[in-house]
């Protein structure tokens, strides 16, 4: 209100009088005083120019004849300043000839007033210029006000638009993050997109390979999925999925914005916004890209949450299966022990009970070995030891270990190998584990009296080994997950086959460590399964089979004195059973249950062999071994680590501590007895 009132009041205009005579200034001031304006005096051209630099004047009264710079020259200089280029100049002179008048008008003079002046004439002419100046200033003020108002309106509109955009994005973020369910997040994205970003919308979800998995439109049925798009727009969608970049599409009056849903370097799909081409202006496209960016994060969070939920579900199922698989062999072991504890147990029954315990213990050992293998492979701690290996010998070794199971189920195994000898560069133990696992799986999931085929083909530097069965087959929806850790198709309580769902995961990782790949194929439930392994290989001349090496005979007690054996284990049951086993074989045995007592027994007993557990209380097995090597009584003894720690780090530490051998519980009893029977020969063989 104050600014408006100030603008409404008439502003005093400035009038510049330029004359070298003081008395004329007095006259002009007295004449113009009643106009009520601001009168400024200058007594020379220089003073006039100085005043013009600081002030804006409504009119300039300029004397023509001045001693320093005359009026005409002063007028010429005045016109060179931007501020005074259009200021009216009235020349006041006693004499005006035609030439002087012509020059004055050329310099922009608006009038000539003869001197002495007529007060009424001077006053009226100056009044006109003052009014014109005021009118011009009013127009300038009004133009400035209109410009300021326009800027204010534009700023307010921009602010309102920014607020609306921020509110929309906040609502969109809230809707997108409301649920971690993939379907609900997809629906929320479509709902926030229509009608704000487009008249219709289509969400296309892609798999990890970039292929379209599913699509969803909004309003429902308004687009008809990917197939309902125009051919050119379908091509644009395919390009955006492949190239992962935004694209605008237009065909006549139809337009679309195809926005990629990105997470890092991966494309999770596209959002297709449909409408008229003119609707997709820069602000709307910028808003669409921001929404899609937030939606990409929400969809990725939903995908990761689903993956975590699936992993947690599979973990829980695995733990339940692990408990089931470990309890299963414990039941017959406990029953067999109870039978053996009975009175007057017949020798055949005793032998049968021992066989039951042996078989179930072997089964538990295999389960634990598989678990440890998976753990080491997942952590990248498994290192294969490649060597030249004959395909025929590899298959023979694998088949030999699996035949008892196949024959026990009355199944038939057909083996077909290439005519030419094939050589692989791989770890014989690990590759035999791979093939045995595939054969055992084929046997496990096939009914009795069925046929299992193992076929090997060589081509272009690679050998493909396929194991095919006539078993239960694999459902199409489960086939992509067949190599996932803990994955099993049958999760029912009455499932006919056991297992932990880690065998094929082991196969996949071991094959990939050898630079190969593995695939599974099945035509569906009840149609059997074929798992094929492809490995780098080469052709080689046929090799004569090596002559079998006669097993070294175990020295009898009569040939030499029975070795003295010290068993060190903090688990009393383990130490006692091992002592009984060794004493039954004729060895002299002492036991200890911790490090200090083991060192004391060793000094008095002077053992030839020390079977030493690593996980001892107080002083661990590595430290005990190191001290045993420093004692004269046990310096040359055969040190065998007999422990549950089987990873590479423990084996390396065993060697550094002075152990001769590192055996993982439950140890191979025959191998253990062979080593203990001749300790010095075992140490020499180890050095060799």
């Amino acid at each position: 209100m104050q600014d408006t009132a100030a603008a409404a009041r008439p502003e005093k205009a400035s009038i510049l009088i330029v004359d070298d005579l003081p008395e004329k200034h007095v006259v002009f001031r007295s004449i113009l005083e009643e106009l009520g304006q601001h009168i400024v005096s200058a007594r020379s051209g220089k003073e006039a120019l100085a005043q013009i630099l600081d002030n804006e004047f409504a009119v300039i009264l300029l004397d023509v004849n001045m001693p320093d710079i005359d009026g005409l020259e002063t007028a010429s200089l005045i016109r060179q300043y931007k501020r005074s280029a259009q200021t009216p100049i009235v020349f006041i002179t006693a004499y005006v000839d035609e030439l002087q008048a012509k020059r004055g008008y050329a310099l922009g003079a608006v009038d000539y007033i003869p001197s002495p002046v007529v007060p009424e004439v001077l006053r009226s002419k100056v009044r006109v210029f003052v009014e014109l100046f005021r009118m011009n200033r009013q127009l300038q003020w009004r133009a400035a006000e209109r410009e300021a108002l326009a800027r204010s309106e534009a700023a307010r509109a921009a602010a309102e638009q920014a607020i609306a955009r921020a509110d929309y994005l906040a609502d969109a973020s809230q809707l997108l993050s409301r649920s971690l369910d993939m379907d609900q997040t997809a629906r929320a994205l479509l709902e926030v997109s229509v009608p704000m970003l487009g008249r219709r919308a289509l969400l296309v979800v892609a798999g990890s390979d970039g292929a379209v998995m599913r699509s969803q439109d909004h309003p429902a049925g308004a687009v008809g999925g990917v197939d309902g798009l125009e051919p050119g727009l379908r091509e644009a969608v395919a390009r955006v999925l492949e190239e992962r970049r935004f694209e605008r599409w237009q065909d006549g009056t139809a337009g679309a914005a195809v926005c990629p849903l990105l997470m890092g370097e991966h494309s999770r799909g596209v959002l297709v916004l449909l409408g008229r081409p003119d609707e997709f202006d820069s602000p709307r496209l910028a808003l669409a890209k921001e929404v899609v960016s937030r939606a990409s994060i929400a969809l990725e969070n939903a995908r990761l949450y689903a993956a975590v939920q699936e992993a947690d579900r599979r973990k829980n199922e695995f733990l339940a299966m692990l408990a089931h698989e470990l309890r299963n062999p414990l039941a017959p072991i406990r029953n067999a022990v109870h039978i053996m504890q009975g009175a007057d147990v017949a020798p055949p029954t005793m032998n049968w009970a021992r066989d039951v315990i042996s078989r179930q213990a072997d089964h538990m050992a295999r389960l634990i070995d598989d678990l440890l293998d998976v753990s080491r492979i997942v952590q990248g701690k498994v290192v294969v030891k490649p060597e030249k290996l004959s395909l025929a010998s590899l298959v023979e070794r694998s088949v030999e270990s699996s035949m008892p199971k196949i024959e026990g189920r009355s199944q038939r195994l057909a083996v077909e190998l290439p005519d030419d000898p094939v050589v692989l560069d791989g770890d014989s133990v690990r590759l035999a584990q791979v093939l045995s696992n595939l054969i055992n799986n084929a046997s496990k999931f096939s009914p009795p009296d069925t046929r299992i085929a193992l076929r090997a083909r060589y081509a272009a530097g690679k050998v493909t080994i396929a194991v095919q069965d006539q078993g239960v087959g694999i459902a199409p929806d489960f086939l992509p997950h067949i190599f996932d850790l803990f994955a099993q198709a049958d999760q029912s309580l009455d499932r006919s086959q056991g297992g932990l769902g880690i065998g094929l995961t082991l196969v996949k990782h071991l094959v990939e460590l050898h630079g190969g790949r593995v695939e599974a194929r099945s035509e569906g439930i009840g149609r059997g399964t074929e798992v094929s392994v492809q490995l780098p290989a080469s052709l080689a001349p046929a090799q004569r089979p090596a002559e079998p090496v006669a097993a070294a005979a175990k020295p009898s007690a009569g040939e030499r004195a029975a070795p003295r054996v010290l068993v060190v284990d903090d688990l009393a049951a383990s130490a006692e059973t091992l002592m009984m086993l060794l004493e039954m074989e004729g060895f002299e045995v002492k036991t200890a249950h911790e490090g200090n007592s083991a060192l004391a027994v060793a000094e008095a007993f002077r053992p030839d062999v020390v079977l030493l557990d690593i996980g001892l209380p107080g002083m661990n097995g590595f430290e005990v071994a190191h001290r045993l090597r420093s004692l004269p009584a046990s310096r040359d003894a055969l040190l065998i680590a007999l422990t549950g720690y089987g990873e590479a780090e423990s084996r390396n530490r065993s060697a550094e501590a002075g152990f001769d051998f590192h055996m993982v519980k439950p140890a191979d009893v025959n191998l253990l007895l062979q080593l203990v029977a001749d300790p010095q020969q075992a140490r020499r063989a180890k050095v060799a």
Side-chain angles (χ1 to χ4, degrees):
M1 292 294 293
Q2 292 179 353
D3 293 342
T4 305
R9 292 196 301 267
E11 180 186 4
K12 284 188 176 182
S14 297
I15 302 170
L16 178 61
I17 301 173
V18 185
D19 200 308
D20 58 323
L21 299 176
E23 56 271 20
K24 285 190 175 182
H25 285 278
V26 174
V27 172
F28 290 153
R29 279 182 176 275
S30 63
I31 295 172
L32 300 176
E33 189 173 20
E34 71 177 63
L35 296 178
Q37 306 304 316
H38 181 55
I39 299 174
V40 178
S41 297
R43 288 181 170 77
S44 67
K46 289 182 179 180
E47 287 186 24
L49 295 175
Q51 290 290 344
I52 287 171
L53 288 176
D54 296 330
N55 301 289
E56 186 175 3
F57 295 98
V59 62
I60 300 174
L61 303 179
L62 182 59
D63 184 21
V64 175
N65 299 311
M66 290 186 295
D68 185 11
I69 304 175
D70 65 17
L72 295 176
E73 187 176 354
T74 301
S76 176
L77 294 174
I78 288 174
R79 289 293 183 235
Q80 294 179 15
Y81 292 102
K82 183 178 180 180
R83 172 178 289 182
S84 57
Q86 302 298 326
T87 303
I89 298 176
V90 176
F91 284 111
I92 298 176
T93 181
Y95 172 78
V96 181
D97 59 21
E98 185 177 351
L99 181 62
Q100 188 182 62
K102 186 175 180 180
R103 184 183 174 194
Y105 286 120
L107 291 174
V110 296
D111 200 0
Y112 271 88
I113 297 178
S115 179
V117 298
V118 178
E120 289 77 7
V121 173
L122 177 62
R123 191 181 300 116
S124 63
K125 287 187 176 183
V126 170
R127 180 181 288 110
V128 170
F129 291 127
V130 168
E131 292 299 325
L132 287 174
F133 176 79
R134 285 179 175 172
M135 291 174 60
N136 185 48
R137 292 301 296 269
Q138 287 288 340
L139 291 175
Q140 290 179 358
W141 288 334
R142 289 172 183 173
E145 287 177 351
R146 286 194 297 270
E147 183 179 355
L149 180 61
R151 284 198 300 268
S152 175
E153 291 293 333
R156 185 176 65 180
E160 291 175 351
Q161 193 174 41
I163 293 172
R165 183 178 186 274
D167 290 342
Y168 168 73
L169 289 175
D171 293 340
S173 296
Q174 184 178 7
L175 287 173
L176 290 171
S177 61
R178 180 173 296 174
S179 172
L180 287 172
D181 179 75
M182 180 69 77
D183 292 335
Q184 292 188 24
T185 304
R187 285 195 297 271
L189 173 58
L190 291 171
E191 289 173 2
V192 301
S193 300
V194 178
M196 187 67 178
L197 303 179
R199 299 190 175 195
R200 295 169 295 156
L202 173 68
L203 177 62
V204 180
V205 179
S208 57
D209 57 353
V212 175
M213 293 176 56
R214 64 187 180 91
S215 61
Q216 184 176 350
D217 53 9
H218 186 75
V223 180
V226 177
D227 294 335
L229 299 175
E230 295 289 336
L233 184 52
R234 284 202 301 271
E235 294 175 1
V237 170
R239 282 194 302 273
V240 172
L241 279 173
E242 181 180 358
E243 300 174 7
R244 303 188 296 276
R245 60 178 179 79
F246 171 83
E247 184 172 330
R248 287 185 65 179
W249 176 86
Q250 180 178 348
D251 184 9
T253 59
V258 186
C259 310
L261 295 163
L262 302 178
M263 183 50 62
E265 296 296 323
H266 303 286
S267 176
R268 300 301 182 195
V270 296
L271 176 66
V272 184
L273 302 170
L274 298 105
R276 294 196 310 269
D278 59 340
E279 292 175 339
F280 297 110
D281 52 11
S282 297
R284 178 169 290 192
L285 291 179
L287 186 61
K289 291 177 181 178
E290 179 63 28
V291 171
V292 167
S293 174
R294 301 186 184 198
S296 297
I297 297 174
L299 290 171
E300 181 68 5
N301 289 340
R303 187 190 69 81
L304 293 175
Y305 179 75
V308 169
Q309 291 291 95
E310 175 64 15
D312 186 62
R313 181 188 65 79
R314 281 166 45 191
K315 178 205 68 176
N316 292 335
E317 290 172 351
F318 163 73
L319 292 175
M321 286 188 292
L322 178 61
H324 175 270
E325 292 298 319
L326 290 178
R327 288 192 181 106
N328 273 351
L330 286 175
I333 289 175
R334 176 175 290 178
N335 294 339
V337 170
H338 184 75
I339 291 171
M340 294 172 69
Q341 290 173 342
D344 300 327
V345 180
T349 303
M350 187 69 72
N351 293 336
W352 171 84
R354 283 199 299 265
D355 290 342
V356 168
I357 294 173
S358 177
R359 286 195 304 272
Q360 299 306 319
D362 289 344
H363 177 63
M364 292 183 69
R366 284 194 298 272
L367 286 176
I368 294 171
D369 286 343
D370 283 349
L371 284 172
L372 293 176
D373 278 345
V374 167
S375 176
R376 287 193 290 265
I377 286 175
V378 170
Q379 297 177 47
K381 294 182 178 180
V382 168
V383 179
V384 295
K385 301 174 181 178
E387 58 180 337
K388 292 297 180 183
L389 177 65
S390 166
L391 174 64
S393 63
L394 171 64
V395 172
E396 181 181 2
R397 182 186 308 173
S398 305
V399 169
E400 181 181 356
S401 65
S402 301
M403 280 308 296
K405 185 171 185 176
I406 293 174
E407 292 172 349
R409 294 175 63 83
S410 301
Q411 295 166 334
R412 302 179 304 281
L413 176 63
V415 178
E416 183 181 339
L417 299 179
D419 296 331
D420 298 322
V422 177
V423 175
L424 299 92
D425 191 17
D427 189 317
S428 59
V429 175
R430 291 302 187 181
L431 290 181
Q433 183 181 1
V434 166
L435 293 187
S436 296
N437 201 316
L438 296 182
I439 297 171
N440 291 339
N441 263 7
S443 175
K444 180 199 298 187
F445 294 103
S446 298
D449 300 318
T450 54
R451 181 178 181 273
I452 299 170
L454 188 153
R455 294 186 298 273
R457 298 282 187 273
Y458 174 81
K462 295 185 181 297
V463 63
T464 302
I465 308 170
V467 177
Q468 185 177 24
D469 62 52
Q470 298 174 333
V472 297
I474 305 171
D477 59 340
F478 185 73
L479 194 59
H481 307 287
I482 193 68
F483 296 104
D484 293 349
L485 187 60
F486 309 141
Q488 287 194 337
D490 185 5
Q491 301 292 347
S492 60
L493 292 176
D494 61 344
R495 61 197 184 108
S496 58
Q497 306 298 338
L500 300 175
I502 60 179
L504 288 179
T505 303
L506 274 174
V507 168
K508 181 175 183 292
H509 283 286
L510 289 175
V511 169
E512 289 176 349
L513 284 174
H514 284 82
R517 60 188 181 90
V518 60
E519 295 179 349
R521 289 182 290 275
S522 177
E523 296 182 4
I525 300 297
R527 305 293 296 275
T529 304
E530 180 182 89
V531 181
S532 59
V533 172
Q534 190 177 82
L535 294 165
S538 60
L539 293 176
Q543 300 289 328
R544 292 180 57 188
E547 294 293 332
V549 179
K554 187 178 74 174
S556 64
E559 294 176 356
R560 62 173 63 88
R564 294 182 299 277
V565 182
L566 172 59
V567 177
V568 185
D569 199 316
D570 61 324
L571 184 61
S574 179
E576 290 170 1
T577 54
L578 187 54
M579 179 180 70
M580 183 175 296
L581 173 64
L582 293 172
E583 286 179 342
M584 289 174 63
E585 294 293 326
F587 300 107
E588 185 180 354
V589 185
K590 296 286 186 182
T591 62
H593 301 301
E594 49 88 23
N596 289 321
S597 62
L599 295 174
V601 172
E603 285 193 282
F605 185 50
R606 304 184 67 84
D608 300 302
V609 181
V610 180
L611 303 179
L612 179 57
D613 186 22
I614 290 177
L616 296 174
M619 188 188 308
N620 64 42
F622 299 125
E623 188 175 352
V624 174
H626 181 73
R627 294 196 182 187
L628 286 172
R629 285 297 183 212
S630 64
L631 293 176
S634 55
R635 181 181 298 120
D636 299 323
L638 175 67
L639 294 188
I640 299 176
L642 199 59
T643 176
Y645 297 104
E647 68 277 6
E649 181 183 357
S650 293
R651 293 179 183 273
N652 293 335
R653 290 186 65 186
S654 293
E656 294 171 359
F659 282 102
D660 296 297
F661 294 95
H662 186 108
M663 302 183 73
V664 180
K665 297 177 181 178
D668 185 331
V669 175
N670 293 327
L671 176 58
L672 180 63
L673 292 176
Q674 183 179 343
L675 295 174
V676 173
D678 193 345
Q680 298 307 316
Q681 175 62 29
R683 294 200 74 191
R684 287 194 297 269
K686 178 223 174 188
V687 173

